[in-house]
Amino acid sequence: MANEPRLLSRATYRLWAQDRVRFGDTDRLGHVNNAKYATYFETARVELMQQVLPGPDSYFVIARIAIDFRAEIRELSTVDIGTAVTAIGRTSFTTGQAVFQGELCAATAEGVVVLVEAATRRPMPLPEALRQHLTTLAPVEG
């Protein structure tokens, strides 16, 4: 779940991406608009997907995303997005993610990513090599 306590800690994540908070990301209240967090999480998911995509005959789709907003970001600087793989299914896997600005955890998310065969546009089983790689991205226990 996106509200899982371990997702709040930087130490949980093995995979990191960065994005920049732009002036256009902010709203009238001067903080990052809630819709922008989905973009930050996408930045990190795409990086993960590019690392693990098994080949040109398949692609990943996001089937579900749940975001919990935890704190305001007001500073126009970089954010770090941590990603962990929290579950692996037959045709999909689940990610736990968090957006950090410094030590501040501003939002967490849970996403379900499905591997799809390009020719049929239907879910396909995760290849064993992909499953093995995904297990290396499990949350750091501690």
Side-chain angles (χ1 to χ4, degrees):
M1 302 278 306
N3 61 5
E4 188 176 331
R6 69 181 171 171
L7 295 181
L8 299 172
S9 171
R10 278 181 166 273
T12 297
Y13 302 97
R14 299 175 193 269
L15 182 65
W16 289 93
Q18 275 197 333
D19 208 338
R20 182 150 216 49
V21 177
R22 296 158 193 84
F23 177 77
D25 293 353
T26 60
D27 60 20
R28 286 181 58 185
L29 301 174
H31 66 257
V32 172
N33 183 294
N34 289 353
K36 292 300 177 178
Y37 287 92
T39 301
Y40 301 149
F41 289 123
E42 178 186 56
T43 296
R45 268 195 326 276
V46 167
E47 188 166 313
L48 166 63
M49 292 176 196
Q50 288 176 335
Q51 287 182 15
V52 301
L53 188 63
D57 297 331
S58 61
Y59 56 89
F60 291 109
V61 296
I62 183 85
R64 177 182 177 276
I65 188 166
I67 300 173
D68 288 325
F69 304 101
R70 303 188 172 277
E72 290 183 327
I73 291 180
R74 295 178 159 276
E75 186 178 332
L76 300 180
S77 66
T78 59
V79 290
D80 299 317
I81 309 108
T83 302
V85 174
T86 58
I88 302 172
R90 190 178 77 76
T91 62
S92 66
F93 60 94
T94 304
T95 59
Q97 296 181 287
V99 172
F100 293 91
Q101 191 171 57
E103 291 304 312
L104 174 71
C105 180
T108 55
E110 179 182 72
V112 176
V113 179
V114 179
L115 181 62
V116 173
E117 183 180 17
T120 64
R121 299 176 62 97
R122 303 288 306 153
M124 62 183 284
L126 300 173
E128 187 56 34
L130 173 57
R131 292 168 122 5
Q132 292 296 325
H133 185 75
L134 292 173
T135 61
T136 68
L137 300 174
V140 176
E141 300 298 327

